[in-house]
Amino acid sequence: MFPRRAISSRRGFLFAAGSIVGVAGASRIARAETPKAPPGAVLYDVPADPTKEQGRPVADGSYGTRSQFETEVRMRYPTPNENTSWSLTPLDKSLGNITPSGLHFERHHGGIPTIDPAKHNLLIHGMVDQPMTFSMADIKRLPSVTRKHFIECSGNGLTEWNKPTMKTVQGTHGLLSTSEWTGVQFATFARETGLKVDAAWVLAEGADAAVMTRSIPMEKMLKDALIVYGQNGEALRPEQGYPLRLLLPGYEGNTHIKWLRRLQVSDKPFMTREETSKYTDLLGNGKARIFSLDMDAKSVITFPSGDMKLPGPGFYDITGLAWTGRGRIQSVDVSVDSGKTWYPARLESLAEPMCTVRFSFPWMWDGKTAVLQSRCTDETGYVQPTLKQLIAIRGDNGPFGSIYHLNAIQSWAVSEAGDVTNVHA
């Protein structure tokens, strides 16, 4: 109804296809998945009245599919190299707080490795009393916890510093996803190996072709770091680090090392390529800020959002997501007049630490032009800034200035015709 993407034409195809098969006398035969089926779905003929025909039998040994009428997919950013690239979660189609594992955003530096869990180990060494190697079986014998946390790439929105570039919220904010993670606290491993008195940093290393590495403060590791093997009730997916991943609640995404194979304890950071020349924040004065690991409070309206079209004046339930890397979201405000007036939004669930929360706000659109915005406040009192306020601190991305950590207020303009566009306001 609201997105410009013509879902109706898709259904038209399905009905047409069903008619053809019906003429052929095979109306209830499930077709094999074809390139025309949405990813994760199988095409079936659609009966005119499902109460008049027996449904499909309960399959044995199956994994399940999603409806053939649900078409949302991730979108790969068009980098020249497909192995060093990223894909974006369709936030405009998301429901609630949890991201389906199949739609969780991806960021890879050397492609997705294939790893046999029976041969995968985690080595913990360096400034420890007893270096130890843990097999996957060893790890799963330890006490586990299950918690919901978001992961956001520090580059989420990096195209938007100077001018509105991406049309949709998937493009502007899609490097954000939330899952329910299951694993073992790092503190448990630390008790097994023991830590030297001066142990202050941990180098986490992945088993991918890029051998991704990041240094993490020991304080963070002992506070809430998880070594996870479960996501949304099942094993991690290969693109999310199967069989083992480091999960650092609230930290920038590149530190959540996937395909985790080694943790080396030290008294100082290791100053790897990823934390010197890559994931640093270049400021307007030309100096670089490193180890800016916490993700600041941020929110975005996902409906209505870019490239949608409102059919006409009337009631709309504005909705979106808010999150912070420093604890819980305390409140969210919504404006429909470009920030001149702010109204409190309703939080639709209990705010959890380092987890997204969905908000909503009832809006009666009068058919005139409007600019929709949201801003959040976290439990530390930090208020999401405007883009102008953020640029005053970090520069405007040219020739010096930030690429990462863009957490400014997002603006969506609504025209009298109902077209919704990405604007700087």
Side-chain angles (χ1 to χ4, degrees), residues 68-325:
Q68 64 201 60
F69 300 104
E70 300 300 321
T71 58
E72 60 270 21
V73 293
R74 291 174 296 196
M75 173 180 68
R76 188 180 78 82
Y77 192 81
T79 54
N81 187 327
E82 295 178 355
N83 295 98
T84 304
S85 188
W86 56 91
S87 64
L88 301 115
T89 295
L91 297 179
D92 52 325
K93 306 296 191 309
S94 66
L95 306 172
N97 281 333
I98 299 297
T99 306
S101 297
L103 294 177
H104 195 291
F105 83 87
E106 300 177 36
R107 173 69 173 106
H108 304 301
H109 298 77
I112 305 167
T114 300
I115 297 176
D116 181 350
K119 300 178 181 177
H120 189 75
N121 298 310
L122 173 64
L123 169 64
I124 301 179
H125 65 127
M127 295 182 67
V128 297
D129 296 331
Q130 178 62 52
M132 296 181 70
T133 298
F134 298 86
S135 68
M136 288 301 300
D138 294 334
I139 294 170
K140 290 184 177 179
R141 291 176 61 185
L142 297 173
S144 65
V145 297
T146 298
R147 293 169 181 168
K148 292 192 287 290
H149 294 299
F150 74 83
I151 298 179
E152 182 184 18
C153 178
S154 58
N156 199 17
L158 62 81
T159 58
E160 307 300 305
W161 278 97
N162 292 328
K163 62 180 181 180
T165 302
M166 306 298 282
K167 289 186 177 182
T168 69
V169 70
Q170 183 176 12
T172 60
H173 290 73
L175 294 176
L176 166 80
S177 299
T178 296
S179 292
E180 184 181 77
W181 306 96
T182 298
V184 180
Q185 295 173 291
F186 170 77
T188 300
F189 291 96
R191 284 192 291 271
E192 293 289 313
T193 63
L195 298 174
K196 299 294 186 185
V197 174
D198 294 330
W201 289 80
V202 176
L203 179 77
E205 181 181 273
D208 57 332
V211 192
M212 183 72 180
T213 51
R214 284 303 310 262
S215 300
I216 311 300
M218 180 61 78
E219 181 181 6
K220 175 67 175 178
M221 294 293 288
L222 293 175
K223 178 184 177 184
D224 56 9
L226 301 175
I227 312 300
V228 299
Y229 47 78
Q231 179 183 9
N232 295 333
E234 61 180 357
L236 290 171
R237 295 200 170 200
E239 60 267 30
Q240 297 302 327
Y242 181 85
L244 205 60
R245 177 176 198 169
L246 177 62
L247 198 291
L248 299 167
Y251 267 26
E252 61 184 24
N254 66 80
T255 63
H256 301 232
I257 298 297
K258 293 182 285 190
W259 314 291
L260 183 67
R261 70 172 182 178
R262 188 168 72 92
L263 295 171
Q264 182 176 354
V265 179
S266 176
D267 58 353
K268 54 184 176 298
F270 288 76
M271 307 305 286
T272 69
R273 182 194 69 161
E274 307 299 341
E275 52 211 32
T276 53
S277 67
K278 298 302 178 183
Y279 289 104
T280 61
D281 292 302
L282 190 61
L283 304 180
N285 59 10
K287 293 185 177 180
R289 187 176 63 172
I290 61 175
F291 298 114
S292 51
L293 302 171
D294 289 313
M295 299 305 293
D296 293 316
K298 191 172 178 179
S299 71
V300 65
I301 292 173
T302 57
F303 176 83
S305 59
D307 212 29
M308 294 182 180
K309 184 177 180 63
L310 304 185
F315 175 79
Y316 294 92
D317 194 37
I318 294 173
T319 186
L321 296 167
W323 62 99
T324 174

